[in-house]
Amino acid sequence: MKTMTLSWVSLVLLLLASPLIVAENRLDPIKKYIHKHFADQLEITREQIEQLSWVLANPVVTPELSTQWSSPAIHREVSRALSRLYCLQLLRNGSHEAYKAFVAPQTDPDTPRLSEPSFQQLSREIAGLDAVSYEVLRATAILDAVTLSPEARKRAAKALAKPVPENSVDFLSVTAPYAEKIYPLARSIITKHPSAARLFEIVYLPHSHLRHMMYNEGSLSMYTVLNTGIQNKSISHDDMNLWYDHWVVNIAGFRGHLEAKGSVYLTQNTWRSMKQLKLLLDRLSREPKLNPMQVYLQKRGQWLQLNTLTRNPNEFLALASLGATARLFTPAEGRELYASFKSLPEDQQKQWVQHSRRQLTALATPPATYGPAVYANAIAVAGLPETVRKVLPVMLRFFQQAEQMRAEGQLAADMPLSFRELAREPMLNNILISHRQFTTVIKPDDGVAKLVMKDKP
């Protein structure tokens, strides 16, 4: 009888323990990755790991520098999320040792590493946050990764009662007002600190994407939400700083899949771009009629010394726009960009200038996505001149095709053109290396741009 009782007890305990065992097994890949790359140096809670585990089943992977990353050890967005969290921790610390850890992966001799004064300036901004704002930033380091995951989609569809966006940043923006219902990590923070609910909406302001601004991926409408909020005072100076700080953290871990500890991406050049934009956005409260996009491109063009190469102001801004998208910073790169651009047929040069001029106005269509990833991956494979000569004409074809499809009602006005697939190595090689002919296709349901190869004769 005792044996039977013990058996039943053991069975009950096993049944009770089974979900916990499954949960632990599900978290094992993340825990092992943390132990391997951070040991005990990363401050992370079980709750954050639980939230991050959503991404493990996510088929969506950002193609940034996909041509230089081959490790299949864990989902790339896990690496980025943990890198963001670690970089935030270093920025809050602000010590010389934290600075050295932050810039440790910045080993490219051709790219100036983030200077210590620049790091300290960012650190002071992070250290000055109140406790609730800092917890929100820690949460968003994780939430940035789980966007579009199957679980996030399911919960968002239920909370919104409508289809969810296919763009990851748009997804975060539309789900931010429902963060408590969708994301357990957000719910935990909001339950303890109700004021955090609004802060999630601030960091995920709609149509306010700092990287889009840095790389000039869209039109002047990229600035509309921020500018409107600044002018009607619904966005305070503290709100603007928190929004910016979120993007600092996001950008710091942008290439965390290449190196986990420290920031590969937030170099001195990246900081210059971010800082220049922040200065312009701060000016909007004093100069409501300022066109921040035009002023920013003038500065980017001056960095490349394009003003010494062309006297045409429209061409200058068009080349500055291309330089920003391709993440160029030096006069040598400016000369290479100019020579490559001038080698294009004259009609293609004019088309790019016209396209860039239109972008300086607030267009109704959202910015295209993953364009910089296309250029970054292409430059890594083939160099800048070949990228300009072969990739830019294809991008122009897509822009013109998208415009025509919108005019004909085939592509929704609010659907961003996505270069996600074009940025991946197989399709990019068809532009750079293959001699086969192709047609350009944009899928109306999600805006994804693709190449369809023609059969050989």
Side-chain angles (χ1 to χ4, degrees):
M1 189 69 178
K2 288 183 179 179
T3 304
M4 184 178 294
T5 303
L6 287 173
S7 297
W8 277 108
V9 170
S10 299
L11 179 60
V12 170
L13 289 174
L14 181 61
L15 290 172
L16 290 173
S18 292
L20 297 176
I21 293 170
V22 171
E24 286 302 318
N25 290 342
R26 180 169 48 83
L27 301 181
D28 273 352
I30 299 176
K31 289 181 175 180
K32 289 177 180 177
Y33 183 89
I34 292 171
H35 180 73
K36 176 181 178 181
H37 293 279
F38 299 97
D40 59 351
Q41 293 180 289
L42 179 66
E43 297 170 5
I44 190 167
T45 65
R46 178 188 173 84
E47 198 172 34
Q48 290 169 332
I49 296 174
E50 284 273 7
Q51 181 69 84
L52 186 57
S53 70
W54 284 13
V55 80
L56 294 175
N58 191 5
V60 179
V61 179
T62 305
E64 171 70 16
L65 284 198
S66 58
T67 57
Q68 297 182 23
W69 189 81
S70 58
S71 173
I74 200 165
H75 195 290
R76 191 178 308 176
E77 299 305 329
V78 170
S79 309
R80 286 177 171 153
L82 297 175
S83 178
R84 285 192 292 267
L85 199 58
Y86 184 66
C87 286
L88 174 59
Q89 181 180 316
L90 294 174
L91 285 166
R92 194 188 197 199
N93 180 295
S95 66
H96 177 64
E97 290 70 25
Y99 165 70
K100 290 194 293 185
F102 191 91
V103 300
Q106 297 178 21
T107 56
D108 183 351
D110 297 324
T111 303
R113 63 166 48 183
L114 182 72
S115 72
E116 190 159 5
S118 301
F119 174 83
Q120 292 295 344
Q121 186 176 112
L122 294 173
S123 178
R124 285 192 295 272
E125 294 167 3
I126 298 294
L129 294 171
D130 61 71
V132 179
S133 297
Y134 183 71
E135 278 309 305
V136 167
L137 287 193
R138 278 172 56 82
T140 59
I142 303 294
L143 297 184
D144 286 358
V146 305
T147 179
L148 296 179
S149 64
E151 185 66 21
R153 284 177 183 270
K154 182 178 74 175
R155 294 187 182 213
K158 183 179 179 181
L160 275 65
K162 63 180 181 181
V164 297
E166 289 296 321
N167 175 268
S168 58
V169 178
D170 288 345
F171 183 94
L172 288 165
S173 295
V174 301
T175 58
Y178 309 90
E180 189 175 8
K181 296 180 179 179
I182 298 171
Y183 308 106
L185 187 56
R187 181 171 63 249
S188 176
I189 295 172
I190 294 169
T191 300
K192 291 183 231 174
H193 310 286
S195 63
R198 179 178 178 275
L199 301 184
F200 280 106
E201 295 187 53
I202 291 297
V203 296
Y204 293 132
L205 281 171
H207 314 302
S208 305
H209 191 307
L210 185 65
R211 285 205 311 272
H212 283 174
M213 299 172 189
M214 287 169 60
Y215 308 140
N216 210 57
E217 295 180 65
S219 72
L220 185 60
S221 59
M222 292 185 293
Y223 300 84
T224 299
V225 171
L226 280 169
N227 195 17
T228 301
I230 290 168
Q231 303 311 323
N232 66 23
K233 304 192 184 309
S234 63
I235 296 177
S236 68
H237 183 68
D238 286 344
D239 292 338
M240 171 70 78
N241 287 342
L242 181 63
W243 171 85
Y244 178 73
D245 291 339
H246 161 255
W247 280 108
V248 168
V249 176
N250 179 284
I251 288 167
F254 190 44
R255 289 183 180 164
H257 58 293
L258 298 179
E259 181 64 49
K261 292 178 67 176
S263 179
V264 176
Y265 192 69
L266 211 170
T267 62
Q268 188 67 8
N269 283 339
T270 303
W271 179 86
R272 288 168 69 198
S273 304
M274 297 164 60
K275 184 63 178 177
Q276 184 62 36
L277 275 169
K278 182 59 164 56
L279 290 171
L280 289 171
L281 292 170
D282 286 342
R283 281 175 60 184
L284 287 173
S285 61
R286 308 185 304 272
E287 304 173 54
K289 296 189 182 298
L290 178 77
N291 185 326
M293 183 174 176
Q294 184 165 334
V295 178
Y296 177 67
L297 288 181
Q298 287 169 346
K299 180 63 70 173
R300 292 298 300 247
Q302 289 166 8
W303 292 349
L304 298 175
Q305 293 187 3
L306 295 172
N307 52 309
T308 66
L309 302 172
T310 177
R311 295 184 181 277
N312 183 326
N314 293 326
E315 184 177 69
F316 170 82
L317 290 176
L319 285 168
S321 174
L322 183 56
T325 305
R327 303 165 184 165
L328 308 181
F329 291 93
T330 67
E333 290 173 326
R335 291 190 294 272
E336 200 171 27
L337 173 67
Y338 179 78
S340 305
F341 180 77
K342 299 306 283 187
S343 72
L344 293 173
E346 192 170 339
D347 64 322
Q348 290 180 354
Q349 295 180 44
K350 288 181 178 178
Q351 287 168 18
W352 180 253
V353 171
Q354 290 167 358
H355 170 78
S356 300
R357 284 188 66 187
R358 289 186 70 244
Q359 298 297 98
L360 289 169
T361 61
L363 302 178
T365 52
T369 58
Y370 300 110
V374 174
Y375 286 105
N377 289 350
I379 290 170
V381 170
L384 177 60
E386 196 75 353
T387 296
V388 173
R389 285 193 287 267
K390 291 188 174 179
V391 174
L392 181 60
V394 175
M395 301 292 268
L396 271 172
R397 283 167 61 179
F398 277 119
F399 284 130
Q400 292 163 352
Q401 189 172 351
E403 191 174 337
Q404 183 177 346
M405 289 176 67
R406 294 189 202 280
E408 296 173 355
Q410 298 175 26
L411 185 65
D414 60 352
M415 176 68 71
L417 176 61
S418 172
F419 293 114
R420 185 180 68 220
E421 295 303 317
L422 204 65
R424 302 189 193 282
E425 192 168 7
M427 202 167 288
L428 199 54
N429 284 343
N430 286 328
I431 300 174
L432 295 170
I433 300 170
S434 174
H435 297 290
R436 293 178 61 189
Q437 297 296 308
F438 55 79
T439 57
T440 55
V441 175
I442 300 172
K443 293 170 61 181
D445 57 335
D446 59 10
V448 172
K450 290 188 175 184
L451 306 178
V452 176
M453 307 307 295
K454 294 182 179 179
D455 294 331
K456 292 182 180 180

